[in-house]
Amino acid sequence: MDKLKNKTFLVTGATGYLGSSISEEISKHGGNLILVSRNLKKLKLLKKNLEINFDNFIEIFECNLLNLNKVKKLVKTINSKKKSLNGIINCAYSGKTGSIKSISSNDFTNATNLNITSPFFLIKNLKKLLENSAKKSKQTSSIVNISSIYGIVSPEDKNYSNSNNVNPIHYGVSKSGMIQLSKYLACNLSRKYIRVNSISPGAVPNLKNKKKKEFSKLKSRIPLGRFGKPSEIAKCIIFLISNDSSYITGTNLVA
């Protein structure tokens, strides 16, 4: 369980439904963490819970990735404090759901900034730390961008009982762009010994505050007959950031 020991990974959207599970799984495997979220209260709570259960080093940074000035400040801080970084997991996302009738141009702008612009800016400006890590460890550094199955296929409105829960068009469009971003960077960063992959989770809805019957139609379309669990996606991340996937880059892993 120590395949990530002495390695440090930056996780954006760290306090989210998937992000918190990914952070926990990295901790289980001995990895140190730089956790980024726009919610400082949740960051402190996540850090506290992880420190209770795991013996790894954790730093937290509050940052709204929609604000590029704040992203620049975050990058500057990390570069001043760190000499190396083993990987980045871009997991941040937030946005309203709904049919095309309810979607505005602003929704497209926000989705693009969160899924493409901010991840690119983070990778571009933390690249030197990833290079240093690869030289030091003699292993490739690894970037994983969290895309979605809806970056590959289109959702069908009829799968949702409530139109307000329909996966929105700006989500799939920007997640599709994230897959291509990963492929492009994989080719361009390979000489720096940096691997870049994406993962496209299927349906992993947070049902805590929603009625399960609202998603019964969607569930019926899934071959395994059930929704995915955050921990199952997190284990895929561990594979992609560990040396187990040392010859894999430019791939979009569908889970």
Side-chain angles (χ1 to χ4, degrees):
M1 294 294 284
D2 289 336
K3 64 177 64 180
L4 302 180
K5 192 173 180 62
N6 298 322
K7 294 185 176 183
T8 301
F9 299 90
L10 184 151
V11 181
T12 69
T15 60
Y17 187 55
L18 284 181
S20 56
S21 185
I22 291 168
S23 301
E24 180 179 350
E25 199 67 30
I26 291 174
S27 297
K28 283 182 183 178
H29 288 272
N32 299 317
L33 289 164
I34 300 173
L35 304 179
V36 178
S37 171
R38 62 181 180 176
N39 191 315
L40 183 59
K41 183 178 179 180
K42 287 185 177 180
L43 272 173
K44 289 180 178 179
L45 180 60
L46 177 60
K47 183 177 187 289
K48 180 180 178 181
N49 290 338
L50 291 175
E51 288 177 336
I52 290 173
N53 296 298
F54 306 104
D55 185 25
N56 59 324
F57 182 71
I58 302 171
E59 290 182 275
I60 59 174
F61 293 94
E62 178 186 13
C63 182
N64 182 353
L65 297 179
L66 282 175
N67 188 325
L68 279 181
N69 287 327
K70 291 185 177 181
V71 176
K72 291 177 182 178
K73 185 177 179 180
L74 171 67
V75 165
K76 184 177 181 180
T77 301
I78 293 174
N79 275 317
S80 68
K81 296 182 69 174
K82 298 292 180 182
K83 293 183 178 180
S84 62
L85 184 64
N86 297 91
I88 299 172
I89 298 95
N90 285 304
C91 190
Y93 184 77
S94 65
K96 71 178 182 181
T97 57
S99 67
I100 58 174
K101 294 180 180 179
S102 63
I103 303 306
S104 68
S105 59
N106 214 35
D107 295 319
F108 272 90
T109 300
N110 289 340
T112 300
N113 284 339
L114 277 176
N115 285 329
I116 300 174
T117 308
S118 287
F120 171 72
F121 189 89
L122 283 173
I123 294 167
K124 178 182 178 181
N125 292 281
L126 294 175
K127 179 170 66 70
K128 189 63 179 178
L129 298 184
L130 295 166
E131 290 179 42
N132 291 344
S133 174
K135 292 177 183 177
K136 181 180 178 181
S137 67
K138 306 299 181 184
Q139 296 180 354
T140 54
S141 296
S142 179
I143 297 166
V144 181
N145 295 317
I146 312 297
S147 182
S148 168
I149 191 68
Y150 287 145
I152 305 170
V153 300
S154 175
E156 295 184 80
D157 289 4
K158 65 182 180 182
N159 289 337
Y160 297 85
S161 300
N162 188 330
S163 61
N164 291 327
N165 292 326
V166 172
N167 192 281
I169 186 169
H170 56 268
Y171 178 84
V173 169
S174 58
K175 289 295 187 182
S176 180
M178 194 177 222
I179 294 172
Q180 180 60 20
L181 174 71
S182 304
K183 292 179 180 293
Y184 189 101
L185 290 173
C187 292
N188 281 264
L189 298 181
S190 59
R191 293 181 182 177
K192 302 295 184 181
Y193 301 100
I194 301 171
R195 296 185 294 110
V196 187
N197 294 288
S198 59
I199 179 170
S200 291
V204 191
N206 186 349
L207 301 175
K208 186 175 180 180
N209 299 317
K210 294 183 174 68
K211 296 179 181 178
K212 292 184 179 181
K213 66 178 182 180
E214 292 180 4
F215 294 91
S216 59
K217 290 183 180 179
L218 178 60
K219 184 177 178 181
S220 69
R221 300 291 301 277
I222 300 173
L224 288 177
R226 67 173 178 85
F227 293 125
K229 302 173 184 177
S231 60
E232 293 175 308
I233 305 305
K235 288 172 183 175
C236 294
I237 302 297
I238 299 301
F239 170 67
L240 290 173
I241 63 175
S242 73
N243 209 40
D244 289 344
S245 59
S246 58
Y247 197 55
I248 298 176
T249 193
T251 288
N252 179 51
L253 176 62
V254 179

